[in-house]
Amino acid sequence: IPLLCRALAMSKRPLLLFASPWTAPAWMKSNGDVRGKGTLKGKAGDKYHKTWANYFIKFLDEYAKHNVTFWAVTAQNEPLAGLFTPPQAPTIAFTAAQQRDFIAQDLGPALARSPHRTRLLMLDDQRIHLPHWAKVVLGNATAARYVAGLAVHWYLDAIVPPGCSLEATHKLFPDHFLLYTEACTGFFMF
């Protein structure tokens, strides 16, 4: 928080911050651990999903106490990577349908009821999952109402041409923006 406050104070223009969760507390996860392959217990609309959505609001509340506001949050960092990550990595696995239902029934309504004007981004994973992921989530009118845009990672860009993923998704859902949210060079050793 002190570093964010310094950066915000030094910037000549407003900084647009976004946050993306890695994992829920262990007691909320199917594997009982913040690490490894696990989903949220239960299903959308239940106490686990509502409590996890409320964690987002509490996070925003606590940062706001320090005059740090977030332009956006993502529903989950790399939701499908949760199925493939090493056992020590903190994560929650979501399918597109699970993310859709969490957004429609829990996270979207919690953000809408909150005093925060924070936008909600979906996917936050490789563009290889587009346009399928967008069709599942944004194809649901309730979920689409809460989603401002799609967060995309670039690690597997060489596998899927942008026309098949980004352009196809934009044509299907032109009112939702696409934003690269995570990237690095040297991901593949070659």
Side-chain angles (χ1 to χ4, degrees):
I1 290 174
L3 290 175
L4 284 173
C5 289
R6 285 180 60 197
L8 291 165
M10 291 179 359
S11 178
K12 293 182 183 359
R13 296 181 303 192
L15 295 179
L16 300 178
L17 304 175
F18 84 95
S20 187
W22 280 57
T23 187
W27 67 269
M28 294 174 142
K29 288 184 57 190
S30 61
N31 65 346
D33 195 332
V34 296
R35 299 163 300 173
K37 300 172 180 105
T39 61
L40 283 178
K41 289 180 181 175
K43 60 183 181 173
D46 70 10
K47 67 179 183 177
Y48 296 104
H49 288 72
K50 294 221 176 295
T51 301
W52 182 230
N54 287 331
Y55 266 67
F56 283 73
I57 307 308
K58 185 68 171 170
F59 169 86
L60 295 170
D61 290 344
E62 292 302 313
Y63 274 82
K65 289 177 184 176
H66 299 278
N67 295 316
V68 176
T69 59
F70 286 83
W71 167 74
V73 293
T74 72
Q76 175 61 38
N77 180 60
E78 295 193 353
L80 280 179
L83 300 173
F84 308 108
T85 57
Q88 297 305 311
T91 187
I92 304 172
F94 277 98
T95 64
Q98 289 168 327
Q99 188 171 85
R100 173 200 63 212
D101 296 345
F102 175 58
I103 288 169
Q105 296 180 42
D106 305 297
L107 184 55
L111 281 169
R113 285 190 307 270
S114 81
H116 307 287
R117 299 295 51 119
T118 305
R119 296 170 184 241
L120 178 58
L121 307 182
M122 56 165 276
L123 183 59
D124 208 14
D125 209 329
Q126 313 309 319
R127 79 170 193 218
I128 196 169
H129 305 303
L130 294 174
H132 167 73
W133 199 281
K135 287 178 184 178
V136 173
V137 177
L138 298 177
N140 177 285
T142 303
R145 171 174 85 217
Y146 295 117
V147 174
L150 291 84
V152 184
H153 298 182
W154 80 342
Y155 304 110
L156 302 178
D157 278 6
I159 297 172
V160 177
C164 298
S165 56
L166 299 176
E167 187 176 342
T169 302
H170 177 68
K171 284 180 180 177
L172 290 169
F173 304 101
D175 295 332
H176 291 82
F177 62 83
L178 296 156
L179 177 69
Y180 271 123
T181 56
E182 185 178 319
C184 73
T185 58
F187 175 66
F188 289 115
M189 298 306 277
F190 47 89

